[in-house]
Amino acid sequence: MSVTQTLATIAQTLPDGAGVDDAQNIAAAQGAGMAYGLAAIGPGIGIGYLVGQSVQAMARQPEAAGMVRTTMFLGIAFTEALALIGFVVFILLKFA
Amino acid sequence: MSLLPTLLIAAGEGGGLHYPSIEDLVEWPGIPAWEGAFYDFNKIAFINVLAVILTSMLFIFSDTKSLVPRGFRNLAEMAVDFFDKGIIGQTIGHGGEKYLPFIASIFFFVFFANIFEVIPLFHMPASARMATPLFLGVLTLVFFVAVGLKHQGPKYFFNACFPPGVPKPLYLLVAPIEFLSTFIVRPFSLAVRLFANLLAGHILIVTFGVLSITLFTASALVLILPFSFLMLCAMVGFEIMVSFLQAYVFAILAAVYIGGALHPEH
């Protein structure tokens, strides 16, 4: 359900006393939840694949484990940044 | 509707669940007499000062003259070995040893600023306010640009924007992207990574803390209390790991950026 649909539904179902602010807050909360949920999909797959491949590399060549681990953390840091930007968007939508 | 939200709503109607607003979680009142002055001082500033003192203490107390390492010296030698082999050896490589003090101070400062998240009576990471990570990000930017200017001269900016091995016409596209990603996205992403991780951890701990307090009632809801309390304990352990990992990632990225400024790509 999109945010505008939600707004319409909420506007119909809210009691008369409730203002536009309440409807906006609810829509913002829904948008925030969806923003973070969607932002977490890609990095989740990415980090899983990355760590899996790193474990495989370390198992195949244990003497290169140090180098692989450092590169793995670097890759995780870059991949995870997307999810974290999603989290910041969540905070901005929900609270700002 | 699943069980937990229903129960929460029930608890809320019973006069229970008051989730604090985000302002209550991260904003701390300053000392009233100093309000508005440039030396305005609050909990975050106090934690920052403590982190600086602890970092300096590691450097000062590990500087003993005896040949046999003991006490702080042992810890410091382990740490130096870790930075030398684990971070600088893997990223900067040859000639990176003299940047070890910078990497070490960054690591320890970030770690101490983070670990206050789980220390009783503080329970607030200084890195969960944007000022601290942003300052560290900009500091890293200034440092690696200075290293680049020292080792490559003014040509550093040219080298940074025009990586070799790209067909000439593509530079129209590549140069602006490289400029943006090197001088703007790097400090920003360093800052946002640290900030968002620690803020998320702080909110998680608060969530389970509030849940544990709310469920501490005489009603049947108390049956869920052990789960939320165990989750709170697990989160504290997880956040200790995150504190270390974020300091490590920050140090490693700073080292990678310094390494990139030190040796131009051929």
Side-chain angles (χ1 to χ4, degrees):
Chain A
M1 200 196 279
S2 76
V3 176
T4 39
Q5 277 175 317
T6 322
L7 267 177
T9 318
I10 291 164
Q12 284 165 5
T13 51
L14 278 181
D16 289 340
V20 183
D21 280 357
D22 291 336
Q24 268 180 357
N25 284 341
I26 295 169
Q30 194 196 17
M34 268 172 67
Y36 182 66
L38 290 175
I41 296 173
I45 296 170
I47 293 177
Y49 186 72
L50 203 160
V51 176
Q53 295 288 318
S54 305
V55 168
Q56 204 175 44
M58 284 187 227
R60 284 180 183 223
Q61 209 164 9
E63 62 269 30
M67 202 182 68
V68 172
R69 191 175 298 117
T70 314
T71 321
M72 181 186 83
F73 277 119
L74 269 178
I76 289 178
F78 287 126
T79 317
E80 190 195 40
L82 296 171
L84 292 172
I85 290 170
F87 175 71
V88 172
V89 169
F90 167 84
I91 295 282
L92 289 177
L93 279 176
K94 184 82 170 62
F95 300 108
Chain B
M1 198 181 249
S2 62
L3 181 67
L4 193 63
T6 323
L7 287 169
L8 282 182
I9 289 164
E13 280 163 357
L17 192 70
H18 296 295
Y19 195 80
S21 68
I22 191 84
E23 286 83 11
D24 294 337
L25 294 188
V26 295
E27 281 180 10
W28 299 90
I31 295 176
W34 294 355
E35 197 83 51
F38 72 92
Y39 44 80
D40 195 356
F41 201 79
N42 63 7
K43 190 165 164 179
I44 309 293
F46 181 53
I47 292 170
N48 277 327
V49 169
L50 274 183
V52 169
I53 291 174
L54 286 169
T55 310
S56 333
M57 262 169 54
L58 271 181
F59 278 81
I60 293 165
F61 283 110
S62 56
D63 189 20
T64 51
K65 294 280 176 284
S66 72
L67 282 175
V68 185
R70 37 171 89 82
F72 261 117
R73 182 73 182 261
N74 274 321
L75 182 69
E77 288 197 354
M78 263 170 59
V80 165
D81 199 50
F82 166 65
F83 293 134
D84 199 26
K85 292 206 172 63
I87 295 182
I88 289 176
Q90 310 278 355
T91 52
I92 306 184
H94 187 64
E97 296 82 17
K98 59 181 168 178
Y99 301 109
L100 199 145
F102 176 73
I103 303 290
S105 5
I106 282 264
F107 176 88
F108 281 120
F109 178 77
V110 173
F111 178 69
F112 286 129
N114 290 349
I115 201 70
F116 279 102
E117 181 176 14
V118 292
I119 293 180
L121 301 182
F122 288 97
H123 276 312
M124 174 74 207
S127 321
R129 298 306 303 272
M130 199 53 180
T132 309
L134 195 59
F135 171 74
L136 289 170
V138 172
L139 183 72
T140 312
L141 170 77
V142 170
F143 195 86
F144 78 72
V145 167
V147 168
L149 284 177
K150 189 184 164 200
H151 286 269
Q152 302 178 30
K155 217 173 171 314
Y156 166 64
F157 292 108
F158 180 82
N159 289 345
C161 295
F162 294 87
V166 180
K168 286 254 155 39
L170 270 183
Y171 276 124
L172 268 178
L173 199 64
V174 171
I177 293 177
E178 281 293 316
F179 180 82
L180 270 180
S181 78
T182 307
F183 298 108
I184 294 170
V185 174
R186 272 181 185 183
F188 179 74
S189 68
L190 272 178
V192 166
R193 180 174 303 117
L194 185 59
F195 162 75
N197 258 304
L198 272 291
L199 181 62
H202 185 58
I203 291 177
L204 265 177
I205 287 186
V206 169
T207 306
F208 285 103
V210 167
L211 200 55
S212 298
I213 294 169
T214 311
L215 291 173
F216 192 70
T217 54
S219 67
L221 285 174
V222 83
L223 290 176
I224 318 173
L225 177 60
F227 298 106
S228 83
F229 185 71
L230 280 180
M231 198 64 194
L232 179 61
C233 298
M235 274 303 146
V236 169
F238 180 69
E239 287 312 316
I240 294 173
M241 193 193 82
V242 166
S243 302
F244 177 82
L245 210 60
Q246 286 308 312
Y248 177 59
V249 163
F250 202 107
I252 243 183
L253 284 172
V256 167
Y257 296 157
I258 291 170
L262 198 58
H263 316 293
E265 296 169 51
H266 331 269

